[in-house]
Amino acid sequence: MCGMPQQPPVRSIVVRPARPDASMSLLTNVMDHSLDEGYAEAAARKKAEGAGGMPRTLRAKLGLAAGLVLAALVVTVGAAQARIAAPAVAKEREELIDRIDQETTAADKLEDSVDELRADVGARQREALKHSGGSDQSELVGILSGATAVHGPGVKLVVNDAKEASTGGEGDPRESAGFSDTGRVRDRDLQRVVNGLWESGAEAVSINGQRLTALSAIRAAGDAILVDNRPLVPPYTVLAVGDGGELSTRFQNSADGLYLHALQENYGIRTGISTADDLRLPAAPSVIVRTAQPHTEKSEQTEKGTS
């Protein structure tokens, strides 16, 4: 039997309905894969860390708390050490103050002893001169040299700092003109006052009870003024023995008197001058002469012989 060629079996084709968004393939892809793979991995890693360990925010808070506790501990320990050391520091300060007071007392006693010895030496010198037959000359020499206490008419001049005297003089016109800071009396000021009084006819001068001689020095040590190495404090009272009225007039009209007036007008230095009928000036400590020698006829003949 002739066979007829057999036809392959016909498979049924199932036609699926088309998606409504088939024409929007790009949007569909974005919606299906909205999270990038890198972000997905990071999210998964963070989730794993949260599941297996401590959250980062909690660790940060704990670290901050630990730092604050450590800082508080350091401050507490420092305060405790300061409280422990405070009594020792206070004790050392008190001991230092006591030593300063003791040394100051000892220095004052030594100064008093030196004054007594100088007075004794001066008295012996005057007594020796009297016995030598030259009492009048010795008294005159003692007055002029300052070795003898004197009294008589004269001038009282008070010089004081300005009421609001400053301790610094940076950029001050008085400093730039050869002065120091505004409102404070300085050693150079007293030097000019004393020199002006000598030039105006004063026969004896003292500052705050310190008698001046030919060897006296007025110097500064910090803010203090020293007269013969003795510190003085304002107000400075200058006594000058002489013809009171004439001495006052000549001094105020002199260059040094005008200088003092300029200090008063421009910088507030307080000054006051008055005449007195009887001023008493103490004797100066004995003056020790090491180089100068009296010029006599005998010494003059010796010099001619050597020449």
Side-chain angles (χ1 to χ4, degrees):
M1 176 176 173
C2 295
M4 295 288 293
Q6 295 181 356
Q7 296 292 330
V10 178
R11 297 183 179 180
S12 60
I13 299 176
V14 178
V15 180
R16 296 181 179 179
R19 292 181 56 176
D21 57 354
S23 62
M24 297 182 291
S25 59
L26 178 60
L27 294 176
T28 303
N29 185 38
V30 170
M31 294 296 296
D32 293 340
H33 304 85
S34 60
L35 189 62
D36 186 78
E37 295 181 359
Y39 287 104
E41 291 179 0
R45 186 167 56 253
K46 185 175 181 181
K47 183 177 181 181
E49 290 178 354
M54 185 181 300
R56 289 186 177 180
T57 55
L58 182 58
R59 289 203 304 271
K61 291 180 179 180
L62 291 178
L64 178 60
L68 293 176
V69 171
L70 181 61
L73 180 62
V74 171
V75 172
T76 303
V77 172
Q81 291 179 348
R83 285 196 299 270
I84 294 174
V89 174
K91 184 178 180 180
E92 292 178 358
R93 183 175 181 274
E94 292 178 357
E95 292 177 354
L96 181 60
I97 293 175
D98 292 339
R99 288 182 57 187
I100 292 174
D101 293 338
Q102 293 174 2
E103 296 297 332
T104 302
T105 303
D108 292 339
K109 290 181 178 179
L110 290 176
E111 287 184 358
D112 294 339
S113 177
V114 169
D115 292 340
E116 292 177 0
L117 293 174
R118 285 176 175 174
D120 183 61
V121 171
R124 291 175 183 271
Q125 289 177 346
R126 292 190 292 271
E127 189 67 22
L129 289 173
K130 288 181 180 179
H131 287 297
S132 64
S135 59
D136 295 338
Q137 187 70 19
S138 65
E139 289 180 359
L140 177 60
V141 171
I143 291 173
L144 296 177
S145 64
T148 303
V150 297
H151 71 94
V155 167
K156 179 180 179 181
L157 176 61
V158 180
V159 185
N160 198 2
D161 293 338
K163 291 184 178 180
E164 297 180 356
S166 62
T167 57
E170 296 182 0
D172 189 86
R174 192 178 178 199
E175 183 179 29
S176 62
F179 296 90
S180 58
D181 57 304
T182 297
R184 296 185 66 86
V185 179
R186 290 302 185 184
D187 56 338
R188 59 178 62 89
D189 302 334
L190 284 184
Q191 289 172 3
R192 296 203 59 167
V193 168
V194 171
N195 290 334
L197 288 171
W198 285 123
E199 186 179 0
S200 299
E203 299 174 357
V205 179
S206 69
I207 303 177
N208 284 14
Q210 185 71 19
R211 181 76 172 273
L212 301 183
T213 68
L215 300 180
S216 295
I218 302 175
R219 294 289 183 266
D223 288 335
I225 295 179
L226 305 181
V227 175
D228 292 337
N229 294 324
R230 293 198 173 196
L232 304 181
V233 295
Y236 306 101
T237 302
V238 184
L239 301 181
V241 174
D243 187 340
E246 184 178 356
L247 180 59
S248 175
T249 301
R250 293 182 62 181
F251 172 75
Q252 294 185 69
N253 293 332
S254 67
D256 297 312
L258 295 176
Y259 170 89
L260 186 61
H261 182 71
L263 295 185
Q264 181 180 11
E265 291 294 325
N266 298 325
Y267 308 108
I269 298 294
R270 291 173 287 175
T271 64
I273 187 170
S274 60
T275 59
D277 296 331
D278 188 26
L279 297 175
R280 296 186 176 274
L281 278 63
S286 59
V287 178
I288 300 175
V289 180
R290 296 182 175 87
T291 305
Q293 296 180 359
H295 184 76
T296 61
E297 294 181 359
K298 183 178 180 179
S299 64
E300 185 176 357
Q301 293 175 358
T302 303
E303 291 176 0
K304 288 181 180 180
T306 57
S307 62

